[in-house]
Amino acid sequence: LERATLSGSADKLTQTFNVMQFNFVLAIVITYLLMAALFESFLYPFVIMFSVPLAALGGFLGLAVFNAFVTYQALDVLTMLGFIVLVGITVNNAILLVHQSLNHMREEGMKAQEAIRESVRNRIRPIFMTVTTTVFAMMPLVLFPGAGSELYRGLGSVVVGGLIVSTVFTLFLVPALLSLALDFRAAIGRWLRPV
């Protein structure tokens, strides 16, 4: 029985892909634990981390759009690195919404739903300003040819696609999830409170 094994560049690419998967999971875990320490809660970072799968979906969509309309870009090592970068970038918008909601509830005594609505109203402009500047700053990396540009086009298209998709969904999903999480915490608190 004969067997074929991969070696050389193909074997190294497989090893690198396995390492990048581990690094992606590690980035998610570190981000979650850091936010849990800063918020002093395991609940709020859990809500914030729901924006990460949406960012990954957006990264794949950005790469697909780039492949369809510009030129073919393989899912190489630097493109996979874009997904790791995306974890740190996309949670920022959700952090703004959750932090502002908690501030409204603690400092101004607002009810949960009112605080969430007010935080979205207050933070939507800074979120759009940040995303717009980041996307337009990454566009030359994605669209303009030049020496070495083929190395970073995949990373840029993943970051741009992930940012756009995650921002749109974050403005709808994170407030809804935060409202559900606060309702759940209040229900657990009532259930555990002695009568």
Side-chain angles (χ1 to χ4, degrees), residues 105-116:
M105 289 189 302
R106 290 175 184 155
E107 295 174 9
E108 300 173 26
M110 289 185 179
K111 292 184 178 176
Q113 277 71 24
E114 184 185 355
I116 293 169

Side-chain angles (χ1 to χ4, degrees), residues 7 14 16 19 23 39 41 48 59-60 72 84 89 102 104 115 132 147:
S7 63
T14 303
T16 305
V19 168
N23 287 346
F39 278 109
S41 168
I48 292 168
F60 283 116
Y72 176 72
I84 296 173
I89 294 175
L102 294 175
H104 284 314
T132 304

